Amino acid sequence: MAHTQTLFAALAAAACTLHGAAFAQTLTPPRERATDGAIHRDNESYEAVQARIKALNDKGVRVASYGLSKAQCWLDVSLHEYSRNDRSAFPQEAMTESVKLIQSMEAGRPVGMETPLVNKAAKLRPDLWDAAAALKTHRGFRCAEQKTACAEVELVHAGN
């Protein structure tokens, strides 16, 4: 029965991705993550989001673009904290940020340049935030999109 539910969830996620419909990936609530089944389902959620990032790249979105880089970095820090047994809201909120960016790109909408402080992260190093903001307005930003996007996510990660 559990295998059938997992298969159905994977097929539903794939169908939503193929048809461009928006869907959210939800991790198992922290108090319920202590089983192999829950961890397996959560790993499938990470794989589904990663597949959506790959699909965008396959359709021509540059890996080094601000939006795709930021989606990947949010997903990476989410998995990092999840695998370190972070029981706060950070893994889910970081994954949600990744999915929001993916949904915008899938719909052909511009990606916002804001970086939320998920899980009430502290805003550390204002000088680095200022440097990232300055890069985003620089005429050579295209060369720094990937590093800027990931630096902003890492600043939030550090503040968490």
Side-chain angles (χ1 to χ4, degrees):
M1 176 81 166
H3 178 61
T4 303
Q5 289 174 330
T6 302
L7 179 59
F8 178 76
L11 289 172
C16 287
T17 300
L18 290 174
H19 296 296
F23 73 98
Q25 292 298 141
T26 305
L27 298 172
T28 305
R31 292 177 191 224
E32 300 170 24
R33 287 185 192 156
T35 67
D36 289 342
I39 292 167
H40 179 73
R41 283 188 303 278
D42 289 344
N43 282 329
E44 287 178 338
S45 291
Y46 282 108
E47 290 171 8
V49 177
Q50 187 65 62
R52 291 174 74 184
I53 290 171
K54 182 184 181 310
L56 284 164
N57 179 242
D58 289 347
K59 290 179 183 175
V61 178
R62 291 181 319 114
V63 169
S65 71
Y66 182 82
L68 201 62
S69 294
K70 197 168 208 178
Q72 183 67 63
C73 290
W74 276 123
L75 186 63
D76 291 348
V77 299
S78 173
L79 180 60
H80 176 82
E81 288 304 318
Y82 181 93
S83 66
R84 293 184 73 198
N85 206 23
D86 182 335
R87 299 298 190 188
S88 76
F90 186 86
Q92 179 63 64
E93 290 182 17
M95 178 184 274
T96 298
E97 289 305 314
S98 179
V99 171
K100 285 180 193 176
L101 291 163
I102 292 165
Q103 288 171 340
S104 289
M105 290 180 281
E106 288 172 340
R109 293 189 311 265
V111 174
M113 301 293 271
E114 304 80 32
T115 305
L117 297 171
V118 301
N119 197 40
K120 300 176 185 166
K123 191 168 187 176
L124 305 175
R125 296 295 307 266
D127 58 320
L128 296 178
W129 283 103
D130 291 344
L135 280 171
K136 290 191 275 188
T137 62
H138 192 276
R139 71 172 200 229
F141 177 58
R142 182 172 168 88
C143 297
E145 289 179 58
Q146 185 174 42
K147 297 291 185 185
T148 304
C150 291
E152 290 172 328
V153 171
E154 285 300 335
L155 282 169
V156 176
H157 190 198
N160 183 57

